[in-house]
Amino acid sequence: MTHLHAGLSPETIEKARLELNENPDVLHQDIQQVRDMIITRPDIGFLRTDDAFILRFLRARKFHQTDAFRLLAQYFQYRQLNLDMFKNFKADDPGIKRALIDGFPGVLENRDHYGRKILLLFAANWDQSRNSFIDILRAILLSLEVLIEDQELQINGFILIIDWSNFSFKQASKLTPSILKLAIEGLQDSFPARFGGVHFVNQPWYIHALYTLIKPFLKDKTRKRIFLHGNNLNSLHQLIHPDCLPSEFGGTLPPYDMGTWARTLLGPDYNDENDYTHTSYNTMHVKHSSSNLERECSPKLMKRSQSVVEPGTLKHEDQNENENTQPLLALD
């Protein structure tokens, strides 16, 4: 086993082999072949090229070396083209800090039954007099940078749940095609994360309209991972077990504390009384080590038949857009 696999369980290493085509015997050669392509893009400043960094791009593209290099190039090119977004790209930057404190994003302590980290966005918490969309996007990208250091998440990936409850038409009007395109470029096209699903819940009709606007910017693979549940939490629970979800999503966990992830990133710089404006619930501490809840949601201890939807049983987005209680497509 290579030192790049240090800390990974045998089960995760085997998963990487089966699902991502990762071969420990030729891992260093794969990494070097990607590194050798850097000379073909002298217009881009590749600020980091160590083995561990390149490896996450290979995993994100299932060890297709050309695709991995393209993603690596897009990662740095996106940062070059949007320099202002990445100035003072730290948790204590005032704009990023406000977004984190307001719960953008939420990060659950426990993972789902596939070992994926669950991110939450409560859209109605967007106070547009307090947070710009750009700062929220910066906070999400910074959070992903922190989380993707975990090799387990490089392999298992992420799930994103967006709750649109009480998200007003006025708030939605600020989601222009240009800023939505910027977010898609940053998350879909330029970041080495594997997103296993993006779940919309309680979405109003105008979110359907926004989705129609952004569909041309989405890859087919991304579209297949977007689910529109409406207020039908049962369909959400067919894909993510309630034991892994807070009560806002019909889960068995306590309500999500919006300050949880902010406290993790900010540490002593987090000031709950002065900075936090939304409802706060009982604190749940984010840990890197496995908790009892993580073990309860692990593949070994869950009966997958309770939570997995058989392919083909969910309706496609184009069949009937008014049936917003159905997810779009089953995960492949």
Side-chain angles (χ1 to χ4, degrees):
M1 184 178 73
T2 172
H3 73 279
L4 292 169
H5 286 150
L8 289 176
S9 67
E11 294 83 4
T12 303
I13 293 172
E14 179 65 7
K15 181 178 182 178
R17 185 184 70 81
L18 294 174
E19 296 185 11
L20 306 184
N21 306 307
E22 184 168 329
N23 182 351
D25 295 334
V26 295
L27 191 59
H28 289 285
Q29 293 96 308
D30 289 335
I31 291 169
Q32 188 58 45
Q33 286 187 19
V34 173
R35 188 183 287 117
D36 289 343
M37 298 180 195
I38 290 175
I39 195 172
T40 67
R41 292 297 305 270
D43 57 312
I44 296 176
F46 292 86
L47 303 180
R48 184 177 171 188
T49 59
D50 57 274
D51 287 358
F53 188 70
I54 291 177
L55 177 57
R56 65 187 63 171
F57 291 86
L58 280 163
R59 286 170 170 163
R61 292 297 180 263
K62 295 188 176 181
F63 277 76
H64 296 294
Q65 294 157 5
T66 302
D67 291 344
F69 173 71
R70 186 179 298 114
L71 180 61
L72 177 67
Q74 289 171 329
Y75 174 91
F76 286 113
Q77 187 174 45
Y78 183 78
R79 280 147 181 76
Q80 286 180 194
L81 295 174
N82 302 284
L83 287 174
D84 288 344
M85 283 180 58
F86 296 95
K87 286 181 180 177
N88 197 34
F89 191 54
K90 300 183 295 183
D92 60 0
D93 171 83
I96 293 177
K97 180 178 179 180
R98 283 192 301 270
L100 289 170
I101 287 172
D102 287 358
F104 296 106
V107 180
L108 292 184
E109 174 184 359
N110 53 298
R111 305 179 186 190
D112 81 344
H113 49 288
Y114 294 114
R116 299 174 294 197
K117 201 69 170 173
I118 302 173
L119 308 183
L120 308 175
L121 294 176
F122 294 91
N125 281 2
W126 181 20
D127 181 346
Q128 294 169 352
S129 66
R130 175 177 165 85
N131 294 312
S132 70
F133 181 86
I134 296 300
D135 282 336
I136 289 174
L137 177 58
R138 294 172 73 217
I140 293 170
L141 288 170
L142 178 65
S143 298
L144 287 170
E145 290 282 4
V146 173
L147 292 166
I148 205 66
E149 293 289 333
D150 185 338
Q151 289 203 75
E152 294 273 345
L153 296 181
Q154 293 173 23
I155 295 167
N156 293 326
F158 299 86
I159 291 290
L160 175 62
I161 306 175
I162 307 176
D163 184 359
W164 298 99
S165 300
N166 302 314
F167 188 70
S168 69
F169 185 85
K170 181 180 179 181
Q171 287 173 303
S173 68
K174 302 296 184 182
L175 295 175
T176 63
S178 61
I179 63 172
L180 289 173
K181 183 173 182 288
L182 183 69
I184 292 168
E185 289 172 347
L187 296 168
Q188 172 190 257
D189 302 329
S190 308
F191 196 84
R194 305 182 68 216
F195 279 94
V198 178
H199 300 267
F200 288 12
V201 298
N202 301 313
Q203 71 277 2
W205 66 267
Y206 38 87
I207 295 304
H208 283 273
L210 278 175
Y211 179 70
T212 301
L213 282 177
I214 67 171
K215 276 172 63 177
F217 305 127
L218 299 175
K219 298 175 181 177
D220 287 342
K221 188 175 181 180
T222 302
R223 293 182 191 180
K224 291 178 181 180
R225 285 165 168 74
I226 296 178
F227 297 77
L228 304 182
H229 298 281
N231 57 9
N232 181 9
L233 294 181
N234 288 332
S235 65
L236 176 68
H237 296 162
Q238 287 180 290
L239 297 167
I240 307 174
H241 198 282
D243 286 352
C244 302
L245 294 171
S247 60
E248 293 94 329
F249 302 103
T252 61
L253 300 179
Y256 183 69
D257 173 3
M258 297 295 175
T260 298
W261 182 240
R263 282 188 287 271
T264 300
L265 292 189
L266 290 166
D269 290 331
Y270 178 83
N271 188 327
D272 195 7
E273 292 183 357
N274 293 337
D275 292 330
Y276 188 49
T277 60
H278 294 292
T279 304
S280 181
Y281 301 95
N282 291 332
T283 303
M284 299 190 303
H285 298 287
V286 175
K287 303 173 185 175
H288 292 294
S289 60
S290 297
S291 64
N292 290 332
L293 287 171
E294 285 197 6
R295 288 192 291 272
E296 289 170 4
C297 294
S298 70
K300 290 183 178 180
L301 298 183
M302 275 195 54
K303 294 181 180 179
R304 288 178 52 183
S305 61
Q306 295 176 347
S307 60
V308 177
V309 175
E310 292 297 325
T313 61
L314 301 180
K315 293 187 178 180
H316 190 277
E317 57 182 304
D318 294 329
Q319 286 183 350
N320 189 342
E321 196 160 73
N322 290 325
E323 296 181 10
N324 63 358
T325 60
Q326 294 294 334
L328 300 181
L329 281 173
L331 293 178
D332 58 23

